[in-house]
Amino acid sequence: MRLLALAAAIALPTAALANDWDDQPITDAERASVMAALEAAGCTSPDSIERDDNGYDVDNARCGDGVYDIELDRDFTITERDRED
């Protein structure tokens, strides 16, 4: 009985970690929504799109005035742009 309780105590935190937002792969629908937001801002061709704690992280998007790392929230709103060049 104690062994079962110990196993459950170990499994619960492990399961919680597996469901962390930023540990999940980005879906095709999410990627399309991120790309739509980028295109609306005049940006294309990012090197990568990943989930992060607050939404999405885009590396090296090519925009009309330079290359940017861009962060979007979970509603696909751009929250930060950092020029890379």
Side-chain angles (χ1 to χ4, degrees):
M1 192 74 159
R2 288 183 191 181
L3 184 58
L4 184 58
L6 178 61
I10 292 171
L12 286 176
T14 303
L17 288 175
N19 290 323
D20 282 349
W21 168 263
D22 56 344
D23 289 336
Q24 301 298 314
I26 190 168
T27 66
D28 290 341
E30 289 170 320
R31 183 175 306 281
S33 293
V34 168
M35 289 304 299
L38 292 176
E39 289 170 9
C43 303
T44 62
S45 306
D47 288 344
S48 67
I49 301 171
E50 299 175 343
R51 286 182 172 197
D52 73 5
D53 290 336
N54 299 315
Y56 304 91
D57 181 46
V58 176
D59 289 329
N60 299 322
R62 282 99 182 134
C63 303
D65 62 342
V67 176
Y68 289 84
D69 285 349
I70 299 174
E71 293 184 21
L72 298 89
D73 63 18
R74 292 183 187 195
D75 294 322
F76 307 103
T77 301
I78 294 175
T79 58
E80 188 173 326
R81 289 173 44 131
D82 294 321
R83 193 172 178 134
E84 289 297 302
D85 56 23

